[in-house]
Amino acid sequence: MTPIRPPPPELPAEGDDPQMPWGFVEALQEAAKNGERVLIATDGGAYGNAYDNRVASVGLAVGREGKPIRRARIRRPGRDQTSYGAELWGLFLCLKGIMMTGVQADIWIDNLAVVRKASKLWTTKVPIPKGSPAIWARVKDRGIKVRSRGTDIRWCQSHGKAKKLSLIHI
């Protein structure tokens, strides 16, 4: 018998402050303390094959050119316990941290669908996606604001998928 996973944390209501990974905001501040551009990498994943036992989480790494600062992992709240949902949650947390600190950052994500959708939302008048609309609405609003202050979202090939790493700026 397949074990049933415990229920995921509920998504925060609009205006609520979701829990940030421990030390994430401080790491952003430390990475930018000399006015340097912050590098943030995310990697979302899910474990379990069936909907009722899948658990998703995202890892976040913060640093600046040549200096790693901090890594964190946080479980993805809500019903979308997929790798895509975890990657989206990672982007949401990055944008929230950037808004809190005012840093300029390059956000590196290995999920091309999330990067493309976020980029389109930030630069064109496309509608909010029907899947996870509450998070996407916040990603759009915050993304437009941080992009206007110099933050970029970038795609990188995921680990283990190719011998040679290729980086694409979207």
Side-chain angles (χ1 to χ4, degrees):
M1 178 170 191
T2 304
I4 305 285
R5 66 171 159 81
E10 289 299 315
L11 284 171
E14 187 66 42
D16 284 353
D17 188 18
Q19 180 182 357
M20 295 293 284
W22 181 84
F24 182 65
V25 171
E26 294 82 0
L28 291 173
Q29 291 168 329
E30 181 182 339
K33 70 180 173 186
N34 295 323
E36 294 182 61
R37 196 165 181 80
V38 177
L39 303 175
I40 309 170
T42 74
D43 193 15
Y47 181 77
N49 294 325
Y51 175 79
D52 61 349
N53 73 351
R54 188 178 305 132
V55 177
S57 63
V58 63
L60 304 169
V62 177
R64 63 178 173 261
E65 191 67 40
K67 183 175 186 215
I69 306 280
R70 175 153 309 151
R71 296 181 310 254
R73 183 184 65 124
I74 191 163
R75 186 162 174 209
R76 201 270 194 227
R79 300 181 77 127
D80 186 357
Q81 296 293 307
T82 61
S83 294
Y84 177 87
E87 295 279 3
L88 175 56
W89 188 247
L91 175 58
F92 172 80
L93 292 173
C94 289
L95 294 172
K96 180 172 176 49
I98 292 167
M99 291 287 292
M100 292 170 71
T101 59
V103 302
Q104 285 187 346
D106 290 317
I107 305 169
W108 293 90
I109 299 176
D110 68 357
N111 186 300
L112 188 56
V114 170
V115 172
R116 282 184 174 156
K117 195 165 287 187
S119 294
K120 284 181 183 175
L121 285 170
W122 298 355
T123 59
T124 65
K125 294 186 184 283
V126 296
I128 299 295
K130 292 180 181 175
S132 302
I135 295 176
W136 275 116
R138 292 188 230 173
V139 164
K140 178 179 182 173
D141 179 57
R142 292 174 180 167
I144 289 169
K145 290 175 184 167
V146 301
R147 185 174 180 272
S148 71
R149 295 183 291 198
T151 289
D152 284 323
I153 185 170
R154 299 172 184 266
W155 175 78
C156 62
Q157 213 162 18
S158 59
H159 51 86
K161 299 277 171 59
K163 292 180 183 177
K164 182 178 162 186
L165 179 67
S166 66
L167 306 175
I168 297 176
H169 179 247
I170 301 292

